[in-house]
Amino acid sequence: IMNKLKNYPMCLQMNAILLIVALIVGFSAGEIVRKTESFNLLDKLKIRSKHLFELQSAGVSHALAAQDRSLLETVVLQTRLSSNNIAAVTIRDRRGAKLVNWNQVENFSGRTFTASKTIKIKGNIMGNFQILWNLETYYLEVSRHVNKIRSLIFLFALITILCVTLLVQALALRPIKKINTRIVQLSRGKSASIPILCNSEETTQLSRSVANLSTFIAEKKTRDENHRRH
């Protein structure tokens, strides 16, 4: 990239580099936010599932022991009504056969998270209680947050590029152009003076050097003229 940019103006090179850095930082920051929030989301769903299991475990245990299907259906109804993001609720017996099953959508193909709890009574396995969470809504919100973070980074980068451009223009490019104009004048035999520039230590030294060179050329020219007269 640097080889391709080296023939362009310094200001354009700096802006291009800053823009590339902003793109890299924005993308990387977005992915870090996405992974962090996805990890936190799964932790929250685990806690939420645990809470639901604890809330319904007594009813499920009793219903499984009594083979009360209507009570199991009530448990499933209460569970699915607790959140719009539950895609399915299933209760199985000890052999793994479905006793009660509810699906928000048949053959749901989106991203999901499954939480399950083995129901035991006095150490004996009575069945299994399973909740399937629909993650699409959660991940959509995560994507919105990621895009917001990236937009803020890109906005900050654009403001930074503008400020850097103005500073470079004022502190470096403008003085260098003036010094360059003076050098061109000297190369053409003109001796018009240029004030010492004090924008920075470097431009001051460079400006002084050009001024000294101008003085030396003028003095040499005067000596040569005097020598020809004599």
Side-chain angles (χ1 to χ4, degrees):
I1 295 175
M2 293 303 298
N3 289 333
K4 293 181 179 179
L5 290 174
K6 65 182 181 180
N7 294 324
Y8 290 92
M10 183 190 301
C11 194
L12 181 60
Q13 293 182 38
M14 293 188 64
N15 288 344
I17 292 172
L18 287 172
L19 184 59
I20 292 170
V21 171
L23 290 172
I24 294 173
V25 171
F27 180 80
S28 301
E31 290 308 305
I32 291 172
V33 170
R34 188 190 305 280
K35 289 183 179 180
T36 302
E37 292 199 359
S38 298
F39 181 79
N40 292 337
L41 167 63
L42 294 180
D43 276 349
K44 290 178 181 178
L45 288 179
K46 289 176 183 177
I47 294 173
R48 182 73 184 279
S49 299
K50 183 179 179 181
H51 173 72
L52 287 174
F53 290 144
E54 290 175 351
L55 190 66
Q56 301 290 354
S57 60
V60 174
S61 299
H62 177 74
L64 287 173
Q67 295 293 308
D68 190 339
R69 192 179 190 86
S70 62
L71 182 55
L72 290 176
E73 289 175 349
T74 301
V75 169
V76 169
L77 177 62
Q78 291 175 345
T79 302
R80 70 182 179 84
L81 290 178
S82 65
S83 174
N84 293 327
N85 294 310
I86 292 179
V89 182
T90 304
I91 298 178
R92 303 174 186 270
D93 63 16
R94 69 184 70 187
R95 294 181 298 273
K98 290 182 181 179
L99 296 176
V100 181
N101 181 60
W102 171 85
N103 290 300
Q104 187 180 50
V105 180
E106 290 294 333
N107 299 320
F108 182 75
S109 59
R111 287 171 290 187
T112 59
F113 169 73
T114 302
S116 63
K117 177 178 175 63
T118 300
I119 305 300
K120 294 182 179 181
I121 298 178
K122 296 181 180 181
N124 297 318
I125 296 176
M126 301 300 296
N128 182 267
F129 187 11
Q130 186 179 84
I131 300 174
L132 184 68
W133 293 90
N134 177 4
L135 300 182
E136 291 301 321
T137 303
Y138 293 113
Y139 278 125
L140 183 60
E141 189 62 32
V142 169
S143 295
R144 287 175 183 161
H145 192 198
V146 168
N147 291 334
K148 184 178 180 180
I149 294 293
R150 285 176 176 167
S151 297
L152 290 174
I153 290 175
F154 293 150
L155 178 61
F156 177 76
L158 290 176
I159 295 173
T160 302
I161 288 172
L162 178 61
C163 293
V164 170
T165 299
L166 294 175
L167 286 173
V168 170
Q169 187 74 24
L171 298 178
L173 297 183
R174 196 173 298 160
I176 289 174
K177 286 181 179 179
K178 289 182 179 180
I179 293 170
N180 181 65
T181 300
R182 176 59 179 144
I183 293 173
V184 171
Q185 289 176 343
L186 289 175
S187 68
R188 295 174 180 174
K190 298 179 181 180
S191 58
S193 62
I194 182 173
I196 302 298
L197 302 175
C198 300
N199 299 75
S200 66
E201 181 180 354
E202 291 80 7
T203 56
T204 299
Q205 291 176 354
L206 184 59
S207 179
R208 229 180 240 123
S209 298
V210 174
N212 292 337
L213 178 61
S214 177
T215 301
F216 173 78
I217 292 174
E219 290 176 352
K220 185 176 184 303
K221 185 176 180 181
T222 301
R223 286 197 303 270
D224 290 344
E225 289 177 353
N226 290 335
H227 182 71
R228 283 196 297 272
R229 289 175 185 173
H230 296 291

